[in-house]
């Protein structure tokens, strides 16, 4: 563990940081947390309403003064006494004018008075340490701050509200009950577990496995909402892939050219469509070629076909389809492909039957109305395939959470097998403890320090 940046130290210190983003702003906020928060605020802030001492959770107007009693700024100040605060410690905030000099002077004044500069994520770490939020909710705080689309933000906010942690605690409780029963068997080894009890334990385990697996399965949807749906624009040269990509992006970034094979490598761009994040990938055309640079591009394109969430298989609708179009079709999983019949402004020839299994949309990359039709089709594809927004099951979007849930399921699966085989209760207890360990990694009780450090080091200072 890198002790110098570790957040897991000195939890008795009073910490301070500028909580607002760097640069000029209407207001800036300096935040303090810890035992000295109230006395430090009282020593620098004078309420112009004469309030002394300050009441908790009230915003006061007044002057912030330096050590010689000169006014640094006109500010608003608030004290939030423990435990009703973000960290569950005494927290004070000073809202000043948003210039860097004022913020810096206020920060320095608190540091001179005995506070220490907070490490990244240290306020949220204290909220976790003091039991106000569990680890999955602390992670969600960062996801809310980082989210670049409405959908990513919705997933993060629902995690912040505790959907995943509530379910995880419920799972843990069930596993703990199972463990208690199994451990009772260890204490009385001469008594075999009656058949009815075994069946009951099996049925509890089965429904637990089912519930955990439903949440685990939501990972794909959650991941897409968070990271974006990756869309590969695929097809032979000159069908209009780059033109479509540019039209979709509404900006000329990829090379548009009527010389076959100019787009030699892949070009990737991000956009947000009706709150849904998308990553568009333009590829080199599919065709046999001896040009080494292009061969590389084609290979990469084919590798990307396998990894994409959705493939836009582009054909030139005004021309007879040829072997290259069929080759491109053969590389696609029909479940994940949308046929884009481009150049509809030049007329559309009937499609051969091999292509008619795919959902398709006719467009012209030169016509904005056609492009908006394509965006509609992409959006429909996504909402059809996820179909899970607004449901009760929490969505997971974090690989760490999925890994922990899968670990718990594997341990429960082994426990189940042991019950069927009538294994000694010691072995069963071991599996159940492992399941508890995995579930505890989500809520943070059993997450090792390295993981905690890794998670909190992603935070910004002041959060
Ligand atoms: P790519 O090789 O598949 O990326 O194809 P490009 O985007 O470079 O387009 C090849 C040629 O087709 C260019 O001259 C484009 O202007 C033209 N083109 C692309 N889409 C359309 C379309 O919808 N209608 C017409 N008439 N021409 C198009």
């Amino acid at each position: 563990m890198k002790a110098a940046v570790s957040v897991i130290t000195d939890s008795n210190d009073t910490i301070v940081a500028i909580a607002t983003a760097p640069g000029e702003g209407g207001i800036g906020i300096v935040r303090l947390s810890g035992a000295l928060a109230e006395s430090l605020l009282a020593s620098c802030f004078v309420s112009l309403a004469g309030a002394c001492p300050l009441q908790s959770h009230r915003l006061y107007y007044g002057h912030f003064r330096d050590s010689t009693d000169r006014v640094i700024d006109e500010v608003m100040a608030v004290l939030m006494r423990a435990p009703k605060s973000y960290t569950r410690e005494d927290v004070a905030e000073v809202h000043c004018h948003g210039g860097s000099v004022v913020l810096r002077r206020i920060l320095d004044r608190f540091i001179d008075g005995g506070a220490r500069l907070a490490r990244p994520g240290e306020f949220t770490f204290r909220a976790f340490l003091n039991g106000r939020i569990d680890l999955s909710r602390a992670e969600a705080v960062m996801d809310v701050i980082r989210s670049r689309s409405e959908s990513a933000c919705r997933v993060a906010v629902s995690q912040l509200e505790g959907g995943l942690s509530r379910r995880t605690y419920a799972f843990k409780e069930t596993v703990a009950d199972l463990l208690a029963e199994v451990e009772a068997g260890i204490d009385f080894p001469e008594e075999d577990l009656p058949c009815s009890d075994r069946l009951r334990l099996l049925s509890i385990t089965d429904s637990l496995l089912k519930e955990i697996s439903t949440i685990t399965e939501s990972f794909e949807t959650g991941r897409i909402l968070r990271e974006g749906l990756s869309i590969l624009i695929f097809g032979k040269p000159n069908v209009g892939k780059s033109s479509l990509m540019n039209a979709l992006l509404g900006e000329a970034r990829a090379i548009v050219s009527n010389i076959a094979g100019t787009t030699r490598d892949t070009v990737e761009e991000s956009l947000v469509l009706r709150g849904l994040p998308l990553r568009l990938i333009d590829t080199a055309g599919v065709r046999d070629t001896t040009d080494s640079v292009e061969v590389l591009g084609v290979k990469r394109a084919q590798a990307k076909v396998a990894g994409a969430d959705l493939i836009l298989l582009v054909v030139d609708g005004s021309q007879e389809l040829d072997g290259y179009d069929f080759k491109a079709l053969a590389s696609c999983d029909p479940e994940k492909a949308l046929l884009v019949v481009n150049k509809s402004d030049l007329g559309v020839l009937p499609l051969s039957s091999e292509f008619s299994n795919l959902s398709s949309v006719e467009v012209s990359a030169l016509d904005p109305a056609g492009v908006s039709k394509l965006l509609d089709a992409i959006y429909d594809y996504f909402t059809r395939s996820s179909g899970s927004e607004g449901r009760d099951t929490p969505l997971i979007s974090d690989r760490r959470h999925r890994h922990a849930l899968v670990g718990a399921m594997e341990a429960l699966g082994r426990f189940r097998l042991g019950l069927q085989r009538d294994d000694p209760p010691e072995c069963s207890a071991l599996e159940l403890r492992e399941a508890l360990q995995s579930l505890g990694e989500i809520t943070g009780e059993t997450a090792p320090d390295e993981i905690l450090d890794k998670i909190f080091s992603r935070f910004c200072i002041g959060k």
Side-chain angles (χ1 to χ4, degrees):
M1 198 197 310
K2 297 161 282 167
V5 295
S6 175
V7 78
I8 310 163
T9 50
D10 311 328
S11 55
N12 293 323
D13 291 352
T14 296
I15 51 172
V16 63
I18 298 172
T20 38
E24 285 181 16
I27 55 168
I29 299 176
V30 176
R31 172 146 81 160
L32 277 165
S33 178
L36 296 180
E38 178 166 2
S39 60
L40 280 174
L41 182 66
S43 68
C44 315
F45 173 74
V46 181
S47 154
L48 290 179
C52 184
L54 302 182
Q55 287 184 46
S56 189
H57 293 82
R58 290 261 151 88
L59 195 60
Y60 292 97
Y61 168 64
H63 284 156
F64 195 92
R65 294 172 187 265
D66 70 11
S67 55
T68 63
D69 245 12
R70 270 206 301 262
V71 176
I72 293 180
D73 196 9
E74 267 180 29
V75 303
M76 305 286 279
V78 59
L79 175 69
M80 288 162 275
R81 286 203 186 89
K84 287 189 177 171
S85 71
Y86 185 66
T87 56
R88 278 207 176 153
E89 301 172 334
D90 284 351
V91 167
E93 280 177 11
V94 177
H95 300 218
C96 60
H97 291 103
S100 58
V101 174
V102 172
L103 282 163
R104 189 77 229 173
R105 289 187 68 196
I106 293 175
L107 181 77
D108 286 346
R109 180 94 167 86
F110 285 137
I111 291 175
D112 290 346
R116 160 172 74 70
L117 193 64
R119 300 192 174 96
E122 198 167 2
F123 291 92
T124 310
F125 179 67
R126 288 191 176 188
F128 163 67
L129 208 64
N130 295 325
R132 198 180 77 79
I133 52 174
D134 73 357
L135 190 57
S136 76
R137 292 173 68 189
E139 288 171 293
V141 169
M142 198 58 222
D143 287 346
V144 170
I145 294 175
R146 290 260 162 90
S147 48
R148 284 172 302 147
S149 66
E150 287 164 43
S151 68
C153 191
R154 268 204 304 276
V155 177
V157 167
S158 89
Q159 190 174 315
L160 182 61
E161 284 174 343
L164 176 63
S165 38
R166 268 194 303 278
R167 293 298 281 269
T168 309
Y169 282 119
F171 296 152
K172 285 182 69 183
E173 213 173 293
T174 312
V175 177
D177 289 347
L178 287 172
L179 184 60
E181 288 209 38
V182 169
E183 280 178 339
I186 301 177
D187 296 338
F188 304 99
E190 62 286 354
E191 289 172 29
D192 267 352
L193 194 61
C195 184
S196 62
D197 279 359
R198 188 173 318 141
L199 286 177
R200 190 171 46 79
L201 296 189
L202 273 175
S203 128
I204 295 173
T205 310
D206 282 345
S207 44
L208 192 59
L209 275 167
K210 201 164 151 221
E211 278 188 66
I212 300 180
S213 124
T214 312
I215 298 185
T216 313
E217 280 160 15
S218 76
F219 175 72
E220 270 310 303
T221 306
R223 176 189 66 77
I224 287 170
L225 289 174
R226 175 172 157 168
E227 294 174 3
L229 182 79
S230 64
I231 300 180
L232 189 74
I233 306 183
F234 193 58
K236 72 176 185 191
N238 255 347
V239 290
K241 297 182 298 300
S242 307
S243 309
L244 276 170
M245 169 121 170
N246 288 338
L248 284 172
L249 287 170
E251 62 177 61
R253 158 80 194 267
I255 316 154
V256 182
S257 146
N258 53 8
I259 305 163
T262 310
T263 315
R264 292 198 162 157
D265 205 333
T266 57
V267 181
E268 190 165 332
E269 282 287 359
S270 304
L271 73 154
V272 175
L273 163 65
R274 296 174 203 162
L276 185 70
L278 306 177
R279 285 182 294 132
L280 285 181
I281 307 156
D282 182 17
T283 59
V286 179
R287 63 167 197 175
D288 297 319
T289 171
T290 47
D291 179 321
S292 60
V293 181
E294 197 169 285
V295 167
L296 188 69
V298 171
K299 276 204 180 127
R300 282 195 202 162
Q302 277 165 347
K304 290 212 173 198
V305 165
D309 295 316
L310 171 66
I311 298 150
L312 298 184
L313 174 58
V314 186
V315 297
D316 180 344
S318 66
Q319 306 278 322
E320 288 290 344
L321 301 187
D322 63 16
Y324 295 122
D325 293 305
F326 281 94
K327 199 167 164 188
L329 175 69
S331 319
C332 299
D333 170 358
E335 292 286 304
K336 290 203 302 186
L338 177 67
L339 181 66
V340 181
V341 183
N342 191 33
K343 306 200 188 181
S344 62
D345 53 305
L346 301 178
V348 178
L349 298 175
L351 287 174
S352 46
S353 58
E354 288 87 339
F355 285 82
S356 56
N357 286 342
L358 300 182
S359 333
S360 69
V361 51
E362 284 177 18
V363 297
S364 164
L366 308 182
D367 171 17
V371 171
S372 106
K373 219 163 64 178
L374 179 56
L375 284 175
D376 288 345
I378 294 172
Y379 193 75
D380 284 351
Y381 169 84
F382 176 72
T383 39
R384 209 172 348 114
S385 61
S386 65
S388 46
E389 281 200 84
R391 62 186 188 173
D392 287 343
T393 309
L395 281 177
I396 55 164
S397 62
D398 191 314
R399 286 180 174 76
R400 193 183 79 78
H401 299 156
R402 183 180 60 164
H403 181 78
L405 290 174
V406 169
M409 286 203 301
E410 285 170 358
L412 286 170
R414 290 192 298 273
F415 166 69
R416 192 182 185 288
L417 206 68
L419 267 184
Q420 284 171 324
R421 285 194 307 230
D422 208 8
D423 281 355
E426 287 84 349
C427 300
S428 303
L430 215 65
E431 302 299 0
L432 290 174
R433 279 201 205 94
E434 206 167 312
L436 280 178
Q437 163 84 25
S438 288
L439 293 170
E441 283 174 17
I442 297 178
T443 49
E445 292 115 308
T446 57
D449 286 357
E450 297 84 70
I451 299 279
L452 295 181
D453 256 349
K454 210 167 134 196
I455 290 170
F456 286 97
S457 65
R458 295 194 302 133
F459 278 63
C460 35
I461 290 185
K463 190 65 219 175

